[in-house]
Amino acid sequence: MVGSVREQDLSYVRRKVLAAWILFVALLGVVFWRLWQLQVERGAYFYQQAQAEAQVPLILPAPRGKILDRNGIVLAEDVPSFAATLSYTPQTPSVAEIDLLAKILGLKPATIAQAAQTLRLGQPFAPVVLRA
C-alpha cells in the first residue's frame, strides 16, 4: 500500500513537471516568434524609422532679450551662434560626402576626414565640432 501511494505521488509530480516544461517551451516559442517578427519581418521598417530620426535639427530659441543698464544702454544682447558637428555613424563617410561637407563648411577635406577618424578612435558618442 505504501509503495502504490508513492508511485501515485511521483506520477502526479511528473505530470506537473511535464506541464510546467510544456508551458515554458510554449512561452519561449512565443518570445522567439516575436523577436523574429520584429527583427526579420519588420526590421527594414524599423531601420528606416531609426535613420529618419537620426538627424533631427535642434533649434533652441534664445531665452532672454537685451540686458540694459538704468540709462537704457545695451550691455548684452542675444547673438545666435551655430556649430557644425560630426557625430558617430556605423558607416565611414564616403569621399563624396566629405568633399560636399568640406565645400559647404569651407573646410579642407582632410580636416573632416581627421574628425571622422577621431570619432572612430576616441569617444564615439561625443560629437566633434567641425566649425563653430
Side-chain angles (χ1 to χ4, degrees):
M1 185 121 161
V2 172
S4 65
V5 171
R6 288 197 147 230
E7 287 178 20
Q8 288 177 353
D9 288 344
L10 284 177
S11 174
Y12 176 76
V13 170
R14 285 182 183 142
R15 283 184 293 176
K16 290 294 183 180
V17 168
L18 180 63
W21 269 107
I22 290 172
L23 180 65
F24 174 73
V25 169
L27 290 175
L28 196 61
V30 168
V31 168
F32 281 121
W33 172 76
R34 184 66 177 147
L35 286 173
W36 180 84
Q37 185 182 32
L38 290 173
Q39 289 289 322
V40 177
E41 285 183 13
R42 304 211 42 208
Y45 168 75
F46 289 124
Y47 180 76
Q48 288 175 349
Q49 292 286 30
Q51 290 300 320
E53 294 177 6
Q55 298 175 358
V56 177
L58 180 63
I59 299 172
L60 299 174
R64 47 181 185 206
K66 297 177 182 179
I67 299 175
L68 309 173
D69 69 357
R70 64 180 173 179
N71 298 321
I73 299 173
V74 177
L75 298 175
E77 63 181 308
D78 292 331
V79 177
S81 64
F82 303 96
T85 60
L86 187 64
S87 298
Y88 177 81
T89 60
Q91 302 88 7
T92 57
S94 68
V95 175
E97 291 171 333
I98 291 175
D99 290 340
L100 178 62
L101 192 56
K103 184 178 177 182
I104 291 171
L105 297 176
L107 298 172
K108 295 179 182 177
T111 304
I112 296 172
Q114 179 62 34
Q117 187 67 19
T118 301
L119 279 174
R120 299 228 175 271
L121 298 177
Q123 299 175 341
F125 300 110
V128 175
V129 177
L130 297 176
R131 184 163 196 174

